[in-house]
Each structure stands twice: as structure tokens, then as C-alpha cells.
Amino acid sequence: MNNIIYVGRNMTTFTCKQHFHEEWELVYCTGGQGRFEFEDSTIEYNSGDLVIIPPHVVHANNSDEGFTNIHINITDATFNFKEPLLISDDAEQHIMGSFKDAFYFFNSDINSRQPIMAAFGDLIANYVTAFSNTKPLRDVVDEIKSNIMQNFTDCDYELDTYLRTIPFSYDYLRKLFKSEMGMTPHSYLTNLRIHMAEKLLCSPDTVEQNISEIAYICGYSDSLYFSRVFKKNFGCSPKNYAAMHSAGA
């Protein structure tokens, strides 16, 4: 059980083309950040995150700034989930330590490495089980989500200020939210605002409103910044987006 059949690492890399494995793949990000793209979902990750990918799941790994990682392939894994999963390492980076040790011994000439690798396979599988099942702050994630939903249309809403009122580490809250929601609190806030803007731009009831008014309704006091964020998400300006959908109506 939990047999490690390969341990490798990527130095600074920007893309891994779409592929799949016959066995489980565990990818620990040791530096940078990126995103795993699956057929119907995306997982964004940062340094200190571990992404677990089940067998036969087609995926690609892309990064704008580059990533480094250690990746392990395991057969007969004892995991009890069927979808890709992201978990974050703890402050002491126990998972990263086990990945680095597994890489060293797998690629060494030590004669007795087989029992060592078997032990690492079980250790890493136990880490995955423990970290994925331990959600001590799940109520806090729900609280953050609710607070964002209640305030995302407010131009004066300061998400960072709110997060720092919660009596836990800012970085830990960010990673916990991402592990459960698949995105950071700031990305969640942006998604709510931008998708509300999209609906307004496509609605005949708001066609007479200018871009500044729509930006304000969606929580942006700066219409130029709103336009940049919108274009980044939809590939064109809000004005052009509204014109295209008006022409197709």
C-alpha cells in the first residue's frame, strides 16, 4: 500500500502540458505559484501547497511567474477521495520535509532504500489524510464567505481590514479559505463583483447606465481599475462586452 514508484522535481518551470498518470500524483510546490487546469475545474496553488491528483485525471500545470516542485507518484494509495484536492502544509512544513527526504532516498544509491521508501509512502499518505480531514476553522471560512457576500457591493469595504480582526494568522486564514473554496478570499471577492458586473452589462434594464455607475454598483469606486479587472477576466473592456451582447440580443 502507498507504494512510491517515482519521485522527481521541477526546477523553475512555466508549463507542463496536458497529461495524466496511471497512478496518484502528489505535487508539492516548493516555490512560486501556478494553477492546475482540469477538464472542468482549476486549482490555484502557492509555495507550501500540496495538490493531490487521482489516477487518470487529465491535467496541465501552468504558471505566469514559474514554479518549482517535488512530485511523487504512488500506487495502491489509501486515499478516500476521487477528485483533485489541495491542502496546505503546516507552519513547521512537515509535508515538505517528508517530500525532500523521499526525493533524496529515492534518487540515492542506498541498498536498503526499499523499506525506507515504503515508510515514506505511508507517512505521506497519513499526512494527506490528517491534513485533509482536519478543519478546525471551517466555521471561520463560512464566516469570511458570508461577510464578503454581505459587503462586496460596498466600495468602502476593506477585506484585509476585516480579515485582520479575526484572531488567527492572516496567512493561515488565507490558505484555509483557499483549501476549502479553491480560491483566496480576495479572488472570491473579485469573482462576486465581476460576475455581477457581467450580468448588469448584459441586462436590458441597465443598458442606459454608464460604466462608472455599473462599477460603483459592483463595489468599485475607480472605474478605470474596474475596467482593467474586467478585461483581465473576460478579455475585453466592459464597454465592448456590453456592445457585443447588445448586438447579439
Side-chain angles (χ1 to χ4, degrees):
M1 303 296 284
N2 302 310
N3 298 316
I4 294 178
I5 63 170
Y6 179 76
V7 185
R9 68 178 176 184
N10 284 323
M11 304 308 289
T12 302
T13 305
F14 293 89
T15 184
C16 290
K17 294 182 179 179
Q18 194 175 70
H19 64 285
F20 70 89
H21 299 277
E22 297 290 338
E23 53 288 319
W24 290 81
E25 183 179 33
L26 287 72
V27 184
Y28 187 100
C29 180
T30 54
Q33 61 183 13
R35 59 193 176 277
F36 275 99
E37 298 169 357
F38 305 97
E39 291 182 339
D40 56 0
S41 64
T42 299
I43 291 181
E44 297 180 355
Y45 63 83
N46 293 287
S47 179
D49 288 338
L50 170 64
V51 178
I52 304 100
I53 305 169
H56 305 113
V57 174
V58 177
H59 58 281
N61 189 2
N62 295 299
S63 172
D64 297 328
E65 68 176 47
F67 61 82
T68 60
N69 66 38
I70 299 175
H71 45 278
I72 294 177
N73 292 81
I74 295 180
T75 61
D76 298 322
T78 55
F79 307 139
N80 60 359
F81 51 90
K82 298 181 179 180
E83 300 295 329
L85 175 70
L86 178 144
I87 62 176
S88 298
D89 207 349
D90 61 4
E92 288 74 30
Q93 297 186 313
H94 285 99
I95 299 178
M96 182 172 72
S98 65
F99 268 65
K100 285 184 173 181
D101 289 343
F103 176 81
Y104 171 79
F105 283 104
F106 183 85
N107 293 283
S108 71
D109 296 326
I110 297 173
N111 292 329
S112 58
R113 71 174 187 170
Q114 185 172 353
I116 295 175
M117 296 310 300
F120 276 123
D122 288 337
L123 174 63
I124 291 170
N126 285 331
Y127 275 140
V128 170
T129 300
F131 280 55
S132 61
N133 289 338
T134 302
K135 299 180 181 292
L137 299 182
R138 185 166 187 175
D139 288 345
V140 176
V141 173
D142 291 338
E143 179 185 328
I144 294 171
K145 178 182 174 182
S146 176
N147 187 271
I148 294 173
M149 292 184 69
Q150 291 173 16
N151 295 282
F152 77 92
T153 59
D154 184 354
C155 293
D156 297 322
Y157 178 56
E158 295 288 345
L159 178 55
D160 274 347
T161 300
Y162 164 69
L163 291 175
R164 295 187 188 282
T165 65
I166 302 175
F168 296 100
S169 163
Y170 175 90
D171 289 336
Y172 186 70
L173 286 174
R174 182 180 178 279
K175 284 189 173 184
L176 184 68
F177 190 95
K178 183 178 177 181
S179 72
E180 294 202 7
M181 299 296 297
M183 64 184 73
T184 66
H186 291 84
S187 294
Y188 185 73
L189 171 62
T190 298
N191 278 356
L192 287 174
R193 287 175 166 173
I194 290 302
H195 283 94
M196 180 178 182
E198 179 196 16
K199 292 179 180 179
L200 291 175
L201 290 166
C202 294
S203 172
D205 296 331
T206 55
V207 70
E208 298 300 327
Q209 292 180 319
N210 60 41
I211 300 303
S212 295
E213 291 173 332
I214 290 177
Y216 188 84
I217 291 171
C218 297
Y220 291 97
S221 57
D222 184 339
S223 60
L224 292 178
Y225 176 69
F226 161 71
S227 294
R228 288 198 298 271
V229 174
F230 190 93
K231 186 174 182 180
K232 182 179 179 181
N233 281 267
F234 289 97
C236 65
S237 69
K239 184 176 181 180
N240 289 341
Y241 190 89
M244 285 189 296
H245 284 77
S246 175

